[in-house]
Amino acid sequence: MASITLKHIQKVYPGGVKVIEDLNLEIQDREFIVLVGPSGCGKSTTLRMIAGLEEVSGGELYIGDRLVNEVVPKERDIAMVFQNYALYPHMTVYKNMAFALKLRKTDKALIDQKVHEAARILDIEHLLNRKPRALSGGQRQRVALGRAMVRDPKVFLLDEPLSNLDAKLRTQMRTEITKLHKRLQTTFVYVTHDQTEAMTMGDRIVVMKEGVIQQVDTPQNLYDAPCNLFVAGFIGSPQMNFMDAQVRLRDGKYVVALGPYELPVSPEKQAALEGYDGKNVTLGIRPEDFHAEGALLADGDCIVEMQVDIAELMGADTYFHGVCAGTQLNVRAPSHIHAPAGSLLRLAVDCKKMHLFDQESQQAILN
Amino acid sequence: MSHMQMTTKERVLCVLKYLFLALCVFVALFPIIWVIMSSFKTNAEILSNGVALPKTPSLTGYRNALTISPILNYFGHSIIITTVSTVLNVLFLAMAAYVFARCRFRGRDVLYFILSLAMVIPMTALLHPVYSVIQALGLYDTKTGLILVYTALNLPMSLLILRGTFLSIPRALEEAAYVDGAGFVRTFFQIMLPCAKGGLTSAAVLAFLQSWNEFTFALVLTSGQDARTLPLSLSYFTAQFSFDYPAMFAAVTIAVIPSIIVFAVFQEQVVSSLTAGSVKE
């Protein structure tokens, strides 16, 4: 169990390619932190630096209170789960799991006990004598987790561990890893490019892009108050709708003009728009913040109309894709709402959940 | 009609194809079968009708082979020299190939190129320099001398095969071992070598065959009875005034059987790893 501190971390590859320029991050003890971002954003590199598999080009990296910049992986007391499992193909599951303990000259009886305990938790006891090639993807992933578990490491590092699994298994393993974290009470650092995994698993999420941390926060806060356009677009599925809009002053109050519509801004958020009168901004509204029924629609304050192109029935919900004020929109509505292609759908916008972004800096103006 | 024509044409092509393949097999196998068959004949039989089957198969040829030349002695030398040089070759080149496959250092590619270049240098060109070196080292006419030379002769091929093998092993395996607490050396011996088993086998087989059949260096670097290898024993039969063909063919048979066994056992691995590794990464 340990915290991890990254101070002004840099990573420059030979040839001068800067992957990470100045990364600062505090990971708390026993925290489940998820590094998320599109491929090439430096999340895996960051994880590999924590593991000691990549050299740190600059800055300071602490595990607990110990500066580990120059410490080799085996002395960092970390365990890592790899995307392709990286099980030793010539060893049985038992030997795979026992390997690290053997190297530590752990007592044989204790090794046996630990391996069996981990295998029991992961439900792979019956596979202990098999070789990895005789296992399915899900089973291999469990073995990889087991191999990490038996060592009681200070830190668990997981590098896209679920991306080689099929969708159903992924969902199942997701909950299992979360449970495992609760059970082990260890620091978990988890890398993924899948925002759903990030949202469902992390205590906190680190959103990265091009080697720069965009925002670090709890899943809820990231979802409710993304700090910029990138985070707003990356977190949430289906994606947030972005529309070109303009801030205007009407009777001493700011409104957001979207094509022919003027959407009011709630009184407590008025101050944030100071100085934006007449400026173009990007308006962000999540698909579920449009309402095709209920009190908001009855109020009649923030009504827009969308020409429906396609309705996709997902079961509990229906996704409507269409055009409103010249922009493509995705709207999520309960499945009992029907609107055939070509029809007009009246929607109330939940103005309290409107997001506005500066078009130049792409930073959030109000959330 | 056209359908019929097609099938006839196809049938003819098929027959031709098999005839061609049969011819290839015949050309490849005939000498070996002929030698083995002739080893059971008598001299007179061979001279009167070369291709006929032996009338009364006899082991006289084999008996003579053992008495005319010190073939058993040489067989023993061959086993020792070939085995030791093969083991050394594979061990050292596995280590070298691993470094070439994984580590980045200045001049790596140039060094690899130079080592591979050895493959295109004709062996006879090396004869004199190698002779001088072995002479200077005081290893002339010793098994050690031949072991050293054979270990080196098979360097380019083994390096090529083993580097390809290591390149095809995912890097994550070593990283997992490092994280698990293994150092560089342990990772190599306990994780990487077992994973490279296919490449190791094929490099070993090729090195074994090459050393087993090698004639020129064995001839030039030895003089007495202490280090001569099996291929040299064959010269005893042509050097005599009486041409004892059955004995010579018997000796040839004794000489090729180990190669055939080794290759037959490991054939699949050799072929597959010669093509594998060159594609990945």
Side-chain angles (χ1 to χ4, degrees):
Chain A
M1 277 147 279
S3 60
I4 301 169
T5 312
L6 295 101
K7 280 188 188 164
H8 306 294
I9 292 292
Q10 278 187 1
K11 178 67 197 178
V12 185
Y13 278 115
V17 186
K18 262 193 183 172
V19 190
I20 290 166
E21 225 157 291
D22 180 24
L23 189 138
N24 293 284
L25 182 64
E26 284 266 356
I27 300 170
Q28 310 295 327
D29 185 17
R30 299 179 193 197
E31 190 174 25
F32 194 130
I33 200 140
V34 178
L35 306 182
V36 70
S39 26
C41 72
K43 55 190 192 302
S44 278
T45 309
T46 307
L47 189 81
R48 292 166 59 81
M49 284 195 285
I50 298 175
L53 296 172
E54 297 272 357
E55 262 176 61
V56 178
S57 316
E60 291 171 343
L61 176 64
Y62 294 89
I63 295 179
D65 301 325
R66 183 176 174 212
L67 181 69
V68 293
N69 281 33
E70 305 292 328
V71 178
V72 292
K74 70 172 182 178
E75 276 152 30
R76 293 192 183 197
D77 200 7
I78 43 145
M80 187 155 167
V81 177
F82 294 83
Q83 180 177 355
N84 53 7
Y85 323 126
L87 300 177
Y88 311 127
H90 56 292
M91 296 185 190
T92 60
V93 168
Y94 184 95
K95 284 189 179 159
N96 261 285
M97 288 168 72
F99 185 65
L101 294 177
K102 242 187 188 169
L103 295 189
R104 262 147 233 249
K105 311 221 157 47
T106 314
D107 177 56
K108 259 198 177 154
L110 187 64
I111 293 181
D112 198 59
Q113 184 201 329
K114 284 197 163 186
V115 169
H116 275 100
E117 194 188 322
R120 192 174 41 75
I121 293 170
L122 294 164
D123 198 19
I124 49 172
E125 261 188 307
H126 57 295
L127 304 173
L128 284 177
N129 289 320
R130 289 213 201 153
K131 292 261 177 79
R133 66 167 170 274
L135 304 179
S136 69
Q139 289 169 334
R140 286 180 203 183
Q141 194 51 271
R142 278 163 209 270
V143 176
L145 282 171
R147 186 170 65 179
M149 268 167 69
V150 290
R151 296 177 29 199
D152 301 323
K154 277 190 198 154
V155 179
F156 250 81
L157 305 173
L158 302 102
D159 189 5
E160 309 217 15
L162 304 184
S163 48
N164 281 7
L165 302 179
D166 62 57
K168 199 177 158 194
L169 207 53
R170 205 178 303 165
T171 320
Q172 189 193 337
M173 287 303 288
R174 212 162 67 198
T175 43
E176 291 200 19
I177 291 177
T178 314
K179 273 194 224 158
L180 199 64
H181 173 246
K182 296 234 155 49
R183 188 183 183 119
L184 299 177
Q185 294 284 319
T186 312
T187 315
F188 270 50
V189 185
Y190 188 105
V191 161
T192 180
H193 61 264
D194 179 7
Q195 65 90 26
T196 317
E197 278 175 30
M199 287 293 283
T200 50
M201 301 172 87
D203 293 331
R204 281 195 304 159
I205 299 175
V206 180
V207 184
M208 294 180 71
K209 180 195 172 194
E210 290 164 7
V212 179
I213 292 182
Q214 306 290 309
Q215 192 171 2
V216 185
D217 218 325
T218 61
Q220 191 70 55
N221 286 349
L222 274 185
Y223 193 77
D224 292 342
C227 72
N228 60 26
L229 264 178
F230 176 79
V231 177
F234 195 82
I235 300 289
S237 172
Q239 222 194 346
M240 184 187 280
N241 295 291
F242 295 118
M243 293 157 273
D244 284 332
Q246 198 182 43
V247 176
R248 285 182 198 154
L249 206 52
R250 277 269 176 274
D251 308 328
K253 281 187 177 168
Y254 290 106
V255 295
V256 178
L258 173 70
Y261 311 108
E262 286 196 342
L263 308 174
V265 176
S266 52
E268 67 271 19
K269 290 181 179 169
Q270 287 282 336
L273 291 177
E274 206 68 53
Y276 274 94
D277 182 24
K279 277 199 178 166
N280 288 335
V281 292
T282 301
L283 168 66
I285 303 173
R286 295 214 179 265
E288 65 272 23
D289 293 331
F290 290 98
H291 297 272
E293 60 174 3
L296 277 172
L297 200 65
D299 274 356
D301 269 351
C302 308
I303 306 296
V304 296
E305 279 184 327
M306 179 178 84
Q307 172 127 33
V308 178
D309 289 336
I310 291 172
E312 292 176 328
L313 179 69
M314 306 301 288
D317 297 319
T318 302
Y319 296 160
F320 292 101
H321 305 277
V323 180
C324 169
T327 317
Q328 277 288 334
L329 274 196
N330 295 321
V331 171
R332 183 173 176 174
S335 58
H336 61 261
I337 306 279
H338 294 287
S343 65
L344 273 184
L345 186 63
R346 250 169 72 84
L347 297 164
V349 178
D350 188 345
C351 289
K352 284 189 193 120
K353 297 195 173 166
M354 236 165 38
H355 307 269
L356 288 183
F357 301 94
D358 190 300
Q359 289 199 330
E360 269 170 37
S361 69
Q362 306 213 326
Q363 297 299 311
I365 305 165
L366 68 80
N367 278 308
Chain B
M1 265 300 272
S2 70
H3 183 70
M4 272 296 286
Q5 272 176 344
M6 273 302 287
T7 46
T8 320
K9 196 178 158 194
E10 272 173 6
R11 210 172 288 165
V12 170
L13 274 178
C14 190
V15 169
L16 283 177
K17 194 170 84 184
Y18 276 100
L19 275 177
F20 176 71
L21 289 177
L23 184 74
C24 292
V25 172
F26 178 77
V27 168
L29 282 186
F30 179 74
I32 297 170
I33 292 172
W34 186 76
V35 163
I36 294 174
M37 197 177 74
S38 300
S39 69
F40 293 105
K41 290 188 188 175
T42 63
N43 232 353
E45 268 181 278
I46 293 171
L47 292 171
S48 63
N49 190 349
V51 289
L53 284 172
K55 275 182 203 130
T56 45
S58 79
L59 291 173
T60 324
Y62 287 86
R63 227 172 286 132
N64 290 344
L66 295 180
T67 46
I68 292 171
S69 74
I71 191 165
L72 281 184
N73 219 356
Y74 285 14
F75 194 94
H77 296 164
S78 264
I79 292 270
I80 294 169
I81 291 169
T82 307
T83 311
V84 176
S85 71
T86 302
V87 169
L88 288 181
N89 173 276
V90 171
L91 178 73
F92 285 127
L93 285 162
M95 295 197 257
Y98 180 59
V99 172
F100 274 117
R102 283 296 195 258
C103 302
R104 257 189 226 170
F105 53 90
R106 193 182 283 269
R108 179 185 69 172
D109 295 339
V110 175
L111 197 58
Y112 182 70
F113 178 73
I114 291 171
L115 289 176
S116 309
L117 210 60
M119 217 173 333
V120 300
I121 298 176
M123 238 203 249
T124 35
L126 298 172
L127 219 48
H128 189 260
V130 168
Y131 173 79
S132 307
V133 171
I134 291 294
Q135 187 76 276
L137 287 174
L139 295 175
Y140 181 75
D141 200 22
T142 60
K143 294 192 191 73
T144 319
L146 277 183
I147 288 172
L148 267 184
V149 172
Y150 289 167
T151 305
L153 273 187
N154 295 311
L155 181 150
M157 196 60 183
S158 298
L159 189 63
L160 185 84
I161 295 173
L162 291 168
R163 180 172 166 271
T165 309
F166 284 121
L167 280 178
S168 71
I169 299 172
R171 223 171 249 268
L173 270 182
E174 296 148 273
E175 293 176 344
Y178 291 148
V179 171
D180 265 348
F184 184 81
V185 174
R186 187 191 291 275
T187 304
F188 175 71
F189 282 105
Q190 283 195 2
I191 305 296
M192 295 312 279
L193 270 193
C195 289
K197 215 170 68 187
L200 291 174
T201 314
S202 61
V205 168
L206 292 178
F208 181 92
L209 294 181
Q210 166 92 356
S211 307
W212 186 264
N213 295 328
E214 208 286 326
F215 179 80
T216 326
F217 279 99
L219 182 68
V220 172
L221 298 179
T222 59
S223 56
Q225 296 297 322
D226 293 339
R228 299 216 127 176
T229 57
L230 199 50
L232 294 183
S233 73
L234 301 182
S235 57
Y236 275 83
F237 303 95
T238 45
Q240 303 297 316
F241 289 109
S242 60
F243 294 99
D244 189 346
Y245 286 120
M248 177 154 95
F249 294 147
V252 170
T253 308
I254 293 170
V256 294
I257 279 174
S259 321
I260 293 177
I261 292 174
V262 165
F263 196 72
V265 170
F266 298 109
Q267 196 228 120
E268 225 163 278
Q269 252 164 332
V270 175
V271 173
S272 66
S273 80
L274 274 181
T275 47
S278 51
V279 194
K280 268 198 174 174
E281 266 205 357

